[in-house]
Amino acid sequence: MPPFDRDVNTVFQDYALFPHMSVAENVAYGPRVRGVGTAERRSRAVEMLELVRLGQLADRRPTSSPAASGSGSPSPAR
């Protein structure tokens, strides 16, 4: 199967997020590009954010989330 036909997404380790979009819009970007409708995209994005316990950040911009500034994120294991 060609790569462009695979239903996979890449999560980069740096904060390569669109600053003009909310956290949920960033999560929903992949389905948006694939032509998924607005309501379904939003629903999936919120579901995924809830799954990783980040639902409360759905409407924030990445620059206003605790992770963007480095505060509130767990310390690396030593």
Side-chain angles (χ1 to χ4, degrees), residues 4-29:
F4 55 84
D5 282 338
R6 297 179 194 157
D7 284 333
V8 295
N9 206 338
T10 303
V11 178
F12 296 97
Q13 292 300 310
D14 65 6
Y15 298 109
L17 300 172
F18 297 109
H20 65 286
M21 293 166 53
S22 71
V23 171
E25 289 169 330
N26 271 280
V27 171
Y29 184 76

Side-chain angles (χ1 to χ4, degrees), residues 5-78:
D5 282 338
R6 297 179 194 157
D7 284 333
V8 295
N9 206 338
T10 303
V11 178
F12 296 97
Q13 292 300 310
D14 65 6
Y15 298 109
L17 300 172
F18 297 109
H20 65 286
M21 293 166 53
S22 71
V23 171
E25 289 169 330
N26 271 280
V27 171
Y29 184 76
R32 176 182 172 190
V33 171
R34 297 198 45 91
V36 175
T38 304
E40 184 178 351
R41 256 192 336 257
R42 173 73 184 183
S43 175
R44 285 186 193 177
V46 169
E47 181 182 352
M48 292 301 108
L49 287 169
E50 291 294 335
L51 184 68
V52 295
R53 298 182 180 174
L54 293 175
Q56 74 279 7
L57 300 178
D59 294 320
R60 289 190 188 177
R61 302 264 185 229
T63 54
S64 66
S65 69
S69 64
S71 65
S73 55
S75 301
R78 293 180 188 220

